[in-house]
Amino acid sequence: MRLKTWILLLPLLFLSSCFEFIEEISFETEQAGTFELTLNCSQSRVRLKNILKLDTFMGYNLPEQYEISNKLYEISNALKLAKGISNIDHNSDNDQFIYNIKFHFDSIKNLNIALNLIAAMESKIQRLPYMNLYEYSDGSFKRLQVPPDSLVQNSRQDHIKLFEGATVTTIYRFKKTVENVSNPNAVISKSKTAVMLKQKVTELATKPSLLNNTIRLK
Amino acid sequence: MKSKFIYLICLLSVLQTGFSLDLKKCIPNDATYVMSINFGNLNSKSNGLDYLKYIKSLINENSYDYYYGDGYEQACQLVSIKDILEKPSEFGIDLNSQAYIYQKNSQLYSGKTYLFKLSNESVFETKMTTNECSKSKAFITKQTDNGKIIMSEKYVIGINKGVAFIFVNDNNSFELEEEGDGEMENSDYYYYGYRKRYNENTYKDSIYEAEVAAYRVKTDSLLYIKANQSGTEEYSQMVEAYIEIDPEIIERAKLRLKERQEEELRKKIEKLTGDFQTILAEKSLSIASDRNFSRIDKDNNDVIIFFNNPMTYLGKILNPFSRRSNRYNKNEPRPAATTIYTSNISAAYVLNFDKGLVRFKTLNSFGDEAFKMLKKAYDKKPDPNLLKYVEGTNLMAYLSSTFNTKEVVNFYEKCYFEILGNAYFSKYDINIPPTIELFWAMLDKELLFGTCTDRKLFAINGFIETKISYKSYEYDEDFQSKEVTKEKIVKTPRMVLVLGIDNKENALKLFRIISKFSAFTKVKDNVILASASRDMQMNLYIVMTEDAFILTNDAVLALEKQTGYPKDKQIQKEEQKFILSHNMTMRIFTDKLFKAINENYPSESGEMKRISDIATNLGDFIFYDNEMSDNLYITEGTLSLTNSSENSLGILLKLFNRL
């Protein structure tokens, strides 16, 4: 399936405007932990189901539902070969349109390599540059900005506006306590061991740096 | 002197008129379909905007020959209709008059013919004979009594008295049967098909052509001996060696191949000239003399599409064995055809752009027997009692349809069995038609078509709110997530479908059966409910009243208004009168509908802005039928625009360009 199809699986949601994209990292040490990505389109499932019956929508090719599940399976298989990645698990709830992938990583470097591997699998036509999404140095964990030609930015601006209500949430859990965060929208948990940041997709489309965050740990 | 000059002018104009062809009269009366486009009208109505891009997008010139010919290769384009539409003057075409397109299928060939008036014959001829395709591929020009023919395997171009005829073959080449094939046994048909495809006289693919070229290269050059002596067996090396010594050798081989193709083409043209000469001339039996076509061609319409006897083609779709029987019975005498119900049928669609109004019309004509049955079906009148179930306050669209379903089904039954009766069946399939008849005879037609299918009224009147559930997440103090089920309100159009009951006993039987399905829960004795689910974002109520079945997502109507709304809340009287005076009516209050969508689904998206833009430009869409008479069933529709001072084509083009 083409990258375009995957990028534009997301715009399908804009008619109902609601989906959740959740990125979670639970650190067990400074470097190792569990990474989890969840796409929850449950709110839009009725319309999605109808839209997916079409071959194309607004000029974009649409995948079959089984193709989405197959893609998760392919990604899981590819990750099995990635260095430092283990305990890969994925789930597809085709009734509720909830898709999830979870794996253990032994270092942030290997996590970045694994995420680039997934991006490379999906960008056969339009190669994406190698990017470090996360960094850990000098007691700080950083969530970096994806390149400006990110998937979301590739979509047409008037289509992006139809994502009203859709959100991206990042949750990072640490063994150490959090001293401070650089992103003013980020919230530190009561126990000071976790940070949550929720942003609207429509805003991210024009300003991907909204997910940037530097978390200073004690 | 002056009077002589005037006389001369008159004489010249009489001669001109006398000699120019009437395009309609050049279309055979057995054309499958005819499309007429009045470019003169459209040019003046389009306000200088490009409407041709929409016509061009409908033209498919790249048909493939899947079975025969050049092995899936695309044929060389002697002429492109899209190019003609883009630059008519370069082709000497007069694109300010009426042009026709028609499809003709015969035993020997099938294809579309485009008829254009020419502004300059010699420009057109030069363009046809000097393009890349005519240089490289076989083509023949021939002068006939009815003008000049330029023919390739894909195109037959005719030029006669200021008219261009462009025939585009449906296949990539004309496949004329060899003599003697007619004596073939039916059982040999599949073998024949295979043999024909791979017959060395007819089958030409790139390998074959390369072989022919290589053969020519070998035999034509003494260099072959030299190359052969050098001991090389590699064809490509050999060819390269030839080219090095004699660079023109390949060109000569190509030329010979072209000559050989032209030889084949010449044989074909001998067989086809008779047919193609007649397409260039006016005919005594032309579509112009067809009664059904004449009825629509008299009003200077902008666009007409006319389907001539569509039952012949519908027959192929409706008869599941048509492909098999066509293969087996190629030379088998068919049973004497009975065409009481399936003959003399035509369907026509007419489109006109007026000031602030788009008008279209459909005209369906039937043979005498078919018409009698359909007339009887459409003698049934709409039921005023059904209107009470529709609240008129927020009416945004409705569709009302009334006809005697049993009579219509009876007509289609007769048509279908006539089609089956006229089809050939092999000894293996001979029992299938009586099996279909037996199955059909066993159906309870009174229950299926006599219960509640004659009088139907569908309406959209406002929006209602429905609660739906979905999965989401909640987070604790440490942002550990937990999956939860949440609820939200979604707005859906408020819809109602009313089906008038004609047989109360059967209606009750049906209702009881449907109630037993697990999807429904009983709400009242006469109300069942299918609740909103993941497949249906609304509650659906089915209510059985004294005179109707009501299917709606409106709980108020289903539970509290089972006797209908009071008169002052119903559809306005004028509208009711309109509905009751036709068997079929539809009205979309377009501006009201789009505005409601905009209000109920507020969004900053580009799509919603476009919807707003459309809403401000469109008025109502009305569709209705007329009383059947003179073997005709006519429906008419109009789309009004808010700007009534400009022609609708110009307004719509502006609107489309903005989208």
Side-chain angles (χ1 to χ4, degrees), chain B residues 46 67 72 120 225 315 331 379 548:
Chain B
S46 60
Y67 300 108
Y72 300 99
N120 192 327
I225 300 160
N331 301 294
D379 273 346

Side-chain angles (χ1 to χ4, degrees), chain A residues 42 58 158 162 164 173 191, chain B residues 471 478-479 605 607 610:
Chain A
S42 176
M58 299 173 84
D158 57 342
L162 288 157
E164 287 159 14
R173 302 182 191 95
S191 62
Chain B
K471 300 273 181 202
D478 289 329
F479 301 150
S605 69
E607 271 62 32
R610 284 181 201 118

Side-chain angles (χ1 to χ4, degrees), chain A residues 20 32 39 46 64 81 83 93 105 113 115 133 143 147 150 153 189 193 204 206-207 216-217:
Chain A
E20 294 174 276
L39 176 65
V46 177
E64 296 281 343
L81 302 172
K83 194 183 162 195
D93 182 343
F105 59 91
I113 292 171
L115 294 176
L133 197 58
R143 201 317 186 160
S150 68
Q153 279 214 336
S189 70
T193 54
L204 277 170
T206 49
K207 208 176 172 191
R216 178 96 196 139
L217 302 168

Side-chain angles (χ1 to χ4, degrees), chain B residues 309 311 338-346 365-368 370 418:
Chain B
N309 211 0
M311 273 296 174
T338 316
T339 53
I340 299 167
Y341 301 98
T342 52
S343 65
N344 208 11
I345 290 179
S346 74
S365 61
F366 302 91
D368 291 339
E418 195 168 277

